[in-house]
C-alpha cells in the first residue's frame, strides 16, 4: 500500500461503520492497514446493551478506553465498571465481555493488539449475519476465539441486558 507523505487524519464521522443503532462499530484502523500490528474500533452501545457473549481469544489483547458513558466488564468472573478516561485491559486467553452499564450511550475505543479479530466484528454485522449459540462457535473458532453462552445468560439476567 502506498502511503501519501504527511499525516493522515480520519475525521469525526468518517470511517466505515457497521451494525445498527444501539450497537455500532466504527473502524478507525484495521489490521490490514497496520501490517497486522494493531486495530482501533470505536464501539457505540445503547443503554443495557451487551457487546458479545462471554468469550476469550487466543491471539489478541484488548484495551478499552472509555470515551463516554459507563462501561461494565466481566473478566474471569470479576465484574467492574469504568468511566470516561478509564482504560480497561482484557488480556488474551481470559474469559470476558463488556456492556453498557449506564443509562446513557456508551462510547469506547477498542485497541486490539495485534489486530485481526476486528474482521470477525465485520462478519457479525453483515446482513444475514445473525449468529446463534449453534452457529457462533464455529465463526469464533475461525478467529481463534471461543464463546460461552451458558455463562453469558446469568450476566444478562443479573443486569437486565439486551442481547
Amino acid at each position: 500500500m502506498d502511503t501519501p507523505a504527511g499525516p493522515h487524519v480520519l475525521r469525526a464521522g468518517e470511517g466505515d461503520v457497521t451494525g445498527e443503532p444501539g450497537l455500532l462499530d466504527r473502524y478507525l484502523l484495521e489490521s490490514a492497514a497496520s501490517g497486522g500490528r494493531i486495530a482501533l474500533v470505536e464501539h457505540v452501545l445503547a443503554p443495557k446493551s451487551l457487546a458479545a457473549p462471554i468469550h476469550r481469544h487466543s491471539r489478541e489483547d484488548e484495551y478499552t478506553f472509555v470515551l463516554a458513558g459507563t462501561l461494565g466488564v466481566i473478566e474471569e468472573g470479576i465484574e467492574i465498571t469504568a468511566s470516561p478516561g478509564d482504560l480497561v485491559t482484557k488480556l488474551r486467553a481470559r474469559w470476558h465481555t463488556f456492556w453498557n452499564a449506564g443509562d446513557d450511550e456508551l462510547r469506547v475505543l477498542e485497541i486490539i493488539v495485534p489486530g485481526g479479530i476486528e474482521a470477525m466484528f465485520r462478519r457479525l454485522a453483515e446482513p444475514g449475519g445473525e449468529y446463534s449459540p449453534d452457529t457462533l462457535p464455529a465463526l469464533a473458532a475461525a478467529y481463534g476465539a471461543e464463546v460461552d453462552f451458558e455463562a453469558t445468560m446469568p450476566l444478562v439476567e443479573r443486569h437486565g441486558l439486551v442481547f
Side-chain angles (χ1 to χ4, degrees), residues 15-73:
D16 194 21
V17 176
T18 63
E20 54 191 50
L23 188 58
L24 294 174
D25 294 326
R26 178 176 170 228
Y27 300 87
L28 304 170
L29 177 64
E30 294 187 65
S31 60
S34 70
R37 293 183 301 272
I38 190 169
L40 302 174
V41 179
E42 178 184 13
H43 298 298
V44 181
L45 281 76
K48 304 300 181 188
S49 293
L50 180 69
I54 293 177
H55 63 283
R56 64 180 173 186
H57 20 88
S58 61
R59 303 173 188 155
E60 302 87 5
D61 297 317
E62 293 176 310
Y63 305 91
T64 306
F65 184 78
V66 182
L67 300 168
T70 303
L71 172 71
V73 175

